[in-house]
Amino acid sequence: VVYSRVGQESRRLLLLLLLLSAWEAGNGQLHYSVSEEAKHGTFVGRIAQDLGLELAELVPRLFRVASKGRGGLLEVNLQNGILFVNSRIDREELCRRSAECSIHLEVIVDRPLQVFHVDVEVRDINDNPPVFPATQKNLSIAESRPLDSRFPLEGASDADIGENALLTYRLSPNEYFSLEKPSDDELVKGLGLILRKSLDREEAPEIFLVLTATDGGKPELTGTVQLLITVLDANDNAPAFDRTIYKVRLLENVPNGTLVIKLNASDLDEGLNGDIIYSFSNDISPNVKSKFHIDPITGQIIVKGYIDFEESKSYEIIVEGIDKGQLPLSGHCRVIVEVEDNNDNVPDLEFKSLSLPIREDAPLGTVIALISVSDKDMGVNGLVTCSLTSHVPFKLVSTFKNYYSLVLDSALDRESVSAYELVVTARDGGSPSLWATASVSVEVADVNDNAPAFVQPEYTVFVKENNPPGCHIFTVSAWDADAQENALVSYSLVERRVGERALSSYVSVHAESGKVYALQPLDHEELELLQFQVTARDAGVPPLGSNVTLQVFVLDENDNAPALLAPRAGGTGGAVSELVPWSVSVGHVVAKVRAVDADSGYNAWLSYELQPGTGGARIPFRVGLYTGEISTTRALDETDAPRHRLLVLVKDHGEPALTATATVLVSLVESGQAPKASSRALAGAVGPDAALVDVNVYLIIAICAVSSLLVLTLLLYTALRCSAPPTEGACAPGKPTLVCSSAVGSWSYSQQRRPRVCSGEGPPKTDLMAFSPSLPDSRDREDELQTTEESFAKVSV
């Protein structure tokens, strides 16, 4: 409310309002002012404009104004951004007699969180008149009192401040008393009456005076008290104290019975007229009477109530000393008790605003919470500092007096720590200091910053051929350190071409479980190794992914029977015809059965058996178990039939074994009728040992080289299998076997692999078998060496 008298004064007040509402850039704070008792709707300031906020963003950003203990006095119109008076403002009710009175507003906007501080000064108006403790005061003054005697009076009080509370006093016109005005010391209210003319009870037994107090406001307000002075007769000397004013310091919270001061007054009279009784003046406030007690005989003032610095910082006690004369006289003094602060109030800690949870990729300096602290004590006892739990990625920043912001100080990682329990400690500067704590749980929100990870980059899987369609051969599994949808992993194939066909025609992977299925039967003879990649991708935005390589080895099964090679010489019906002289020696090779097997390992390792003749006839021939060479078992004689039909059973070592049958027709002839080729065969059989030695040397070198290569391969494979974790599959294990044969004998190397990928059995077993060589003829030895080389070409390691 602005009181307008003249136009110039109005302009000055308007200029003052503009200056007080200007922005102080140094403090980052707005200052406004408003007069108390302003009407509802009175304009205070354009707060949105002064804070640099657009009117259109006030509502979306949740613009709000908070004021601790001052709710509802001021309000903001969100349509125009104007701060206005919402309800009655009484400065005396808000700040009592404090020289400075302001309403502190916290302006909070979200998205992003911002906090502004606004102080609205409440200007005092002269709305409270001076008030005396009572409407009438009775004084008893002996007529014998000398001139210039002083009689203290209790002054008036004004709830206003400044000039509005600057009181002046005047006394109604009279011939006996003048008024003594108060001094500049506010603690000493030196208001009193001075006797200017001797009293005469017979002439004027009672005197009526009016004391008026006027404040300095515009317009002026006044208060009055009636003084009834009764003139007493008798006693000449009034009690007198050692001092007019006593000042005492007293700690708050002292126990009842504590001595404040011992007063001493003296009276020049004798007897009862010199005996003094001490008492509090009738003018002191009830609050003083409830806190202190005076002993009427000794003059000791002691504490009898709770002394609280926060309630009152000082007490003024007026003490009377009255003698026991027939017409008692009194003396007066003032006791000023100044209360000293003690650190007896714990700091108050409050979270004003929280912005949770916080994303793990939030930038440094992000404001998480606003904290206000306060302490009712004064000085260092009310000086509060805040600290935060150590070793956390947050810090406290002092943004304003008694306000702190909790901000992000270092990078967050939800996968390392998903939540923080923060404890804020507010500690005052007292000795000993007091403190208070408040805790807040800060949850870290997940961001998709981790790709799915496999345990190892590559897996080896063994699958038997001829598997059923849709067979489960392996399960891939990836783990994502993120949470919720950021950790939801799906699997897919990395499509590529396998020969002339797409990879997806061979295998598929379940998107959710990671199970890998063989879509069709696999054929070891067609495809021994199928290598491909599976991608694991999460459901984050943007999604992250990683790959794993699968090596699927197709294990051989015995699904191919031995196949006989075409005979060198002619025959009918696939039979081999041989002419053998009667004169051949024991062990002479008369024929050789040749066969191959499309399988590998044990499944391709062939053995030969001669079937018994019909009728149980004794046959003078035998067949090499692993060479297929048919040789004589004894010398031929005339009892032997001239023609022999030999049935040779060729069998592999698979489970179950597969067989084929070869027919050899042997005709016994005279030596002159044997063909040249047979002669060469006999010559080779009987013949040169040097050629046999050369061939054996070459075979031994070849066998050693191949054996060394196989041993090295086995060592490497064993090291890889020991370092790789076990895999699992749905198909039965295979038994891959490597077999090699030569003309000088047969040797085989079988690696019986029972991989943990399918059966879960123990480590693989390795067997090495060697067979004694036979001595065929040199021509067949060359053919057998060629066959051995073909076998090596088919072996898969």
Side-chain angles (χ1 to χ4, degrees):
V1 178
V2 178
Y3 296 96
S4 302
R5 289 187 176 179
V6 294
Q8 182 178 2
E9 185 177 356
S10 299
R11 286 193 297 273
R12 276 189 298 181
L13 288 175
L14 181 59
L15 179 60
L16 180 61
L17 282 172
L18 292 175
L19 290 175
L20 289 176
S21 60
W23 174 268
E24 293 182 3
N27 296 328
Q29 178 186 8
L30 285 179
H31 289 276
Y32 297 108
S33 66
V34 65
S35 297
E36 65 170 329
E37 305 297 339
K39 294 181 179 180
H40 174 75
T42 298
F43 172 87
V44 179
R46 300 184 182 276
I47 188 170
Q49 178 179 345
D50 295 338
L51 291 176
L53 301 174
E54 298 292 335
L55 295 179
E57 66 180 1
L58 296 183
V59 174
R61 292 187 64 186
L62 302 180
F63 181 95
R64 60 190 184 277
V65 175
S67 175
K68 185 175 181 181
R70 305 287 188 267
L73 296 180
L74 299 173
E75 192 57 66
V76 176
N77 188 330
L78 297 182
Q79 302 299 322
N80 53 26
I82 291 177
L83 181 66
F84 63 92
V85 176
N86 188 45
S87 61
R88 176 178 175 268
I89 301 176
D90 187 357
R91 191 202 66 81
E92 288 72 26
E93 180 181 348
L94 291 177
C95 305
R96 300 189 182 278
R97 294 191 55 81
S98 176
E100 296 181 359
C101 184
S102 61
I103 301 174
H104 179 71
L105 304 178
E106 297 167 6
V107 179
I108 302 173
V109 292
D110 293 334
R111 305 171 186 170
L113 177 63
Q114 288 181 284
V115 180
F116 304 93
H117 299 277
V118 179
D119 278 335
V120 180
E121 178 188 358
V122 180
R123 299 193 307 275
D124 182 46
I125 65 171
N126 193 25
D127 59 339
N128 293 280
V131 177
F132 285 92
T135 58
Q136 179 176 317
K137 179 175 178 60
N138 298 325
L139 297 175
S140 296
I141 302 175
E143 62 178 351
S144 59
R145 291 298 293 269
L147 296 178
D148 297 328
S149 295
R150 184 179 182 278
F151 305 95
L153 297 175
E154 182 72 9
S157 62
D158 196 321
D160 297 320
I161 62 171
E163 291 184 356
N164 295 330
L166 186 60
L167 304 181
T168 58
Y169 297 89
R170 68 178 183 273
L171 189 64
S172 59
N174 68 95
E175 57 182 341
Y176 293 100
F177 298 93
S178 64
L179 188 63
E180 183 184 43
K181 305 279 181 75
S183 65
D184 294 334
D185 189 355
E186 293 184 358
L187 293 177
V188 181
K189 299 179 180 179
L191 183 64
L193 296 177
I194 304 298
L195 184 62
R196 298 304 183 186
K197 181 182 178 181
S198 298
L199 298 175
D200 187 358
R201 188 190 62 81
E202 290 73 23
E203 180 180 348
E206 290 183 342
I207 301 173
F208 292 92
L209 301 177
V210 176
L211 179 61
T212 302
T214 305
D215 61 24
K218 296 182 180 180
E220 298 176 344
L221 299 178
T222 61
T224 61
V225 60
Q226 291 184 354
L227 303 178
L228 175 58
I229 301 173
T230 302
V231 180
L232 302 177
D233 197 10
N235 227 341
D236 295 314
N237 296 285
F241 287 90
D242 297 339
R243 299 181 191 175
T244 306
I245 299 174
Y246 297 88
K247 291 187 178 180
V248 181
R249 292 184 178 274
L250 183 66
L251 277 174
E252 66 173 331
N253 305 324
V254 294
N256 291 343
T258 300
L259 177 64
V260 179
I261 191 173
K262 184 180 183 301
L263 299 176
N264 183 40
S266 60
D267 196 317
L268 297 178
D269 295 325
E270 294 181 356
L272 293 178
N273 293 330
D275 290 341
I276 300 173
I277 297 176
Y278 300 93
S279 64
F280 290 147
S281 171
N282 294 328
D283 293 334
I284 65 173
S285 65
N287 186 36
V288 174
K289 290 183 179 180
S290 66
K291 304 291 184 183
F292 302 97
H293 169 73
I294 186 169
D295 189 293
I297 306 301
T298 63
Q300 291 181 340
I301 300 178
I302 62 175
V303 176
K304 74 169 186 178
Y306 178 62
I307 305 299
D308 188 4
F309 175 82
E310 287 71 39
E311 177 184 343
S312 179
K313 297 175 177 56
S314 65
Y315 296 93
E316 182 180 350
I317 307 174
I318 300 176
V319 179
E320 289 182 340
I322 304 174
D323 59 27
K324 297 181 179 179
Q326 186 176 3
L327 298 175
L329 299 178
S330 63
H332 302 81
C333 72
R334 292 176 184 270
V335 179
I336 307 301
V337 181
E338 296 180 353
V339 181
E340 294 184 346
D341 184 38
N342 197 5
N343 192 25
D344 59 342
N345 288 280
V346 176
D348 182 33
L349 186 64
E350 181 182 1
F351 283 91
K352 305 295 290 186
S353 180
L354 290 173
S355 181
L356 296 175
I358 180 171
R359 288 167 55 93
E360 62 177 320
D361 62 347
L364 302 184
T366 299
V367 179
I368 301 169
L370 178 67
I371 306 170
S372 68
V373 294
S374 60
D375 196 312
K376 294 180 181 179
D377 295 320
M378 296 293 290
V380 294
N381 294 332
L383 184 61
V384 181
T385 57
C386 283
S387 61
L388 186 63
T389 307
S390 58
H391 308 298
V392 293
F394 305 96
K395 66 178 180 180
L396 291 175
V397 177
S398 179
T399 56
F400 190 68
K401 180 181 179 182
N402 293 334
Y403 282 88
Y404 290 85
S405 292
L406 179 63
V407 300
L408 182 62
D409 186 43
S410 60
L412 298 174
D413 185 10
R414 191 206 63 83
E415 289 68 42
S416 298
V417 181
S418 60
Y420 295 88
E421 291 296 331
L422 304 182
V423 178
V424 181
T425 302
R427 186 183 299 271
D428 61 27
S431 182
S433 63
L434 302 178
W435 69 89
T437 60
S439 61
V440 61
S441 178
V442 178
E443 180 184 354
V444 182
D446 184 51
V447 174
N448 191 27
D449 56 350
N450 290 278
F454 292 93
V455 176
Q456 59 189 65
E458 183 176 284
Y459 292 95
T460 301
V461 183
F462 297 94
V463 180
K464 291 173 60 176
E465 67 174 331
N466 303 320
N467 56 281
C471 173
H472 171 223
I473 62 175
F474 192 68
T475 299
V476 294
S477 179
W479 178 75
D480 196 311
D482 293 320
Q484 297 177 353
E485 66 274 1
N486 295 331
L488 187 61
V489 180
S490 61
Y491 304 91
S492 62
L493 287 176
V494 178
E495 187 63 79
R496 70 177 185 87
R497 304 293 296 180
V498 180
E500 297 181 355
R501 299 170 60 182
L503 173 66
S504 56
S505 64
Y506 287 95
V507 292
S508 68
V509 60
H510 192 273
E512 296 179 2
S513 65
K515 291 185 176 181
V516 181
Y517 299 93
L519 300 180
Q520 62 181 15
L522 300 176
D523 188 0
H524 173 79
E525 289 72 36
E526 175 188 348
L527 182 66
E528 295 185 8
L529 172 63
L530 178 61
Q531 182 171 324
F532 58 93
Q533 287 186 326
V534 175
T535 296
R537 190 175 301 274
D538 59 32
V541 179
L544 301 177
S546 61
N547 294 345
V548 65
T549 300
L550 267 68
Q551 290 186 338
V552 179
F553 287 91
V554 182
L555 303 181
D556 184 52
E557 281 192 333
N558 193 25
D559 57 349
N560 291 279
L564 298 174
L565 298 179
R568 284 197 309 268
T572 62
V576 178
S577 297
E578 294 288 346
L579 299 177
V580 179
W582 286 90
S583 60
V584 295
S585 60
V586 176
H588 176 75
V589 177
V590 299
K592 182 178 179 67
V593 177
R594 293 180 175 87
V596 296
D597 196 311
D599 295 319
S600 61
Y602 274 107
N603 298 327
W605 184 20
L606 303 180
S607 61
Y608 303 85
E609 297 178 5
L610 188 62
Q611 297 295 97
T614 59
R618 183 168 173 267
I619 302 175
F621 302 99
R622 68 178 180 85
V623 65
L625 179 62
Y626 298 109
T627 62
E629 295 176 342
I630 300 175
S631 60
T632 58
T633 60
R634 57 180 173 81
L636 303 176
D637 53 28
E638 296 177 353
T639 61
D640 293 320
R643 292 177 60 84
H644 295 270
R645 182 180 182 88
L646 305 179
L647 294 179
V648 179
L649 179 67
V650 183
K651 180 172 64 175
D652 60 27
H653 284 71
E655 294 180 2
L658 300 180
T659 61
T661 303
T663 302
V664 178
L665 301 176
V666 178
S667 300
L668 301 180
V669 297
E670 296 296 333
S671 299
Q673 299 176 356
K676 297 293 183 178
S678 298
S679 299
R680 287 196 304 270
L682 291 173
V686 176
D689 294 337
L692 179 61
V693 171
D694 292 339
V695 172
N696 286 340
V697 170
Y698 292 138
L699 286 176
I700 291 172
I701 293 174
I703 290 172
C704 291
V706 174
S707 300
S708 300
L709 179 61
L710 288 176
V711 169
L712 179 60
T713 304
L714 277 176
L715 292 176
L716 291 176
Y717 179 74
T718 304
L720 291 176
R721 287 303 302 271
C722 289
S723 63
T727 55
E728 59 180 358
C731 301
K735 299 179 181 179
T737 306
L738 177 64
V739 179
C740 296
S741 302
S742 68
V744 297
S746 297
W747 62 272
S748 68
Y749 169 74
S750 65
Q751 184 183 16
Q752 184 176 357
R753 292 179 295 189
R754 300 184 181 272
R756 286 172 288 176
V757 64
C758 291
S759 65
E761 296 180 3
K765 299 179 181 178
T766 302
D767 301 324
L768 183 63
M769 294 181 294
F771 301 92
S772 300
S774 60
L775 297 175
D777 103 299
S778 60
R779 181 196 61 195
D780 290 338
R781 215 177 282 121
E782 294 175 356
D783 296 336
E784 184 63 21
L785 182 60
Q786 180 179 1
T787 306
T788 303
E789 294 174 352
E790 293 175 356
S791 300
F792 279 126
K794 291 182 57 183
V795 171
S796 60
V797 179

